[in-house]
Amino acid sequence: MIITVAIDGPAAAGKGTISKAVAAHFGFAHLDTGLLYRAVGAKVRAGADPVAAAQMLDPRDLEDDGLRTPAAAQAASEIAVIAEVRSALVAFQRNFAARDGGAVLDGRDIGTVICPDAPVKLFVTASAECRAERRFNELVGKGMEITLDQVLADVKIRDARDRNRAEAPLVAADDAVEIDTSDMTIEQAIAAAIEAVRSALGIC
Ligand code: CDP
């Protein structure tokens, strides 16, 4: 059976953690679509043409740990405004979404552009300050030297670029369930997401 769970939201909203937990709970596969844009951005920083890099992207390119840095996130959001880059990545995402056994995809335009017919759409958000603090703790936990102000600036710049671009801007789908995690622990956010998926799929 094809079941697609679309999880969108602004930078560092916790989509990754929530998506992984939802996928594990229901036994679905998970695709972090941000990694596609981060991998293309990294190739462009290394001198590649953005459209060619997107067209030739290999799933193995997504396994690079270096894609999790703020610099890679900025590079991703810069190439994510290019229409031809986005369209080169559509088929891979739709194929993943259509796999047997269910799939969770998280990103910016999953519920609006990639899988507009997904039976479950969540829009996960939180204040910019909360999101920056969580991402700061995550990066410091990985040993990165960075300040909270730098992370907050990164989040705000990417949000503005993602929301204001002409192509597939960051916006909640009309039929998405919004989950504001500002005042939630990660456990509460995961529980809210699982409950929303259960209710949308009619599972008791
Ligand atoms: O994890 P975080 O929310 O910080 O970022 P991400 O999901 O890895 O996405 C990195 C960047 O890729 C975003 O700021 C967007 O510009 C872009 N992106 C996109 O345009 N569409 C998607 N479906 C996923 C990411």
Side-chain angles (χ1 to χ4, degrees), residues 43-75:
K43 285 180 187 289
V44 170
R45 287 265 161 109
D49 169 73
V51 179
Q55 286 168 342
M56 292 185 313
L57 199 68
D58 186 296
R60 281 169 299 188
D61 296 336
L62 311 182
E63 286 160 22
D64 178 355
D65 277 347
L67 298 179
R68 302 283 180 189
T69 64
Q74 281 295 337

Side-chain angles (χ1 to χ4, degrees), residues 7-16 32-38 67-70 72-81 86 89 93 105-110 114 131 135 138 154-155 157-159 161-163 165 167-170:
I7 303 188
D8 293 306
K15 301 179 299 293
D32 170 358
T33 66
L35 281 180
L36 303 174
Y37 294 88
R38 287 173 183 253
L67 298 179
R68 302 283 180 189
T69 64
Q74 281 295 337
S77 82
E78 284 164 18
I79 57 87
V81 304
R86 304 198 71 84
L89 300 175
Q93 296 173 82
L105 284 80
D106 76 271
R108 301 291 185 286
D109 61 342
I110 308 305
I114 302 297
R131 290 184 280 127
R135 181 56 55 90
E138 181 189 328
D154 168 73
V155 158
I157 291 168
R158 283 198 292 134
D159 279 358
R161 203 183 278 126
D162 293 348
R163 286 199 168 105
R165 69 187 175 212
E167 207 63 33
L170 169 66

Side-chain angles (χ1 to χ4, degrees), residues 3 23 31 34-35 38 56 58 61 64 81 89 93 96 126-127 139 143 147 171 175 182 186 189 195 199 204:
I3 300 172
L31 176 65
L35 281 180
R38 287 173 183 253
M56 292 185 313
D58 186 296
D61 296 336
D64 178 355
V81 304
L89 300 175
Q93 296 173 82
F96 191 96
S127 71
L139 294 171
T147 66
V171 61
D175 50 350
S182 301
I186 190 61
E195 193 44 48
S199 140
C204 298

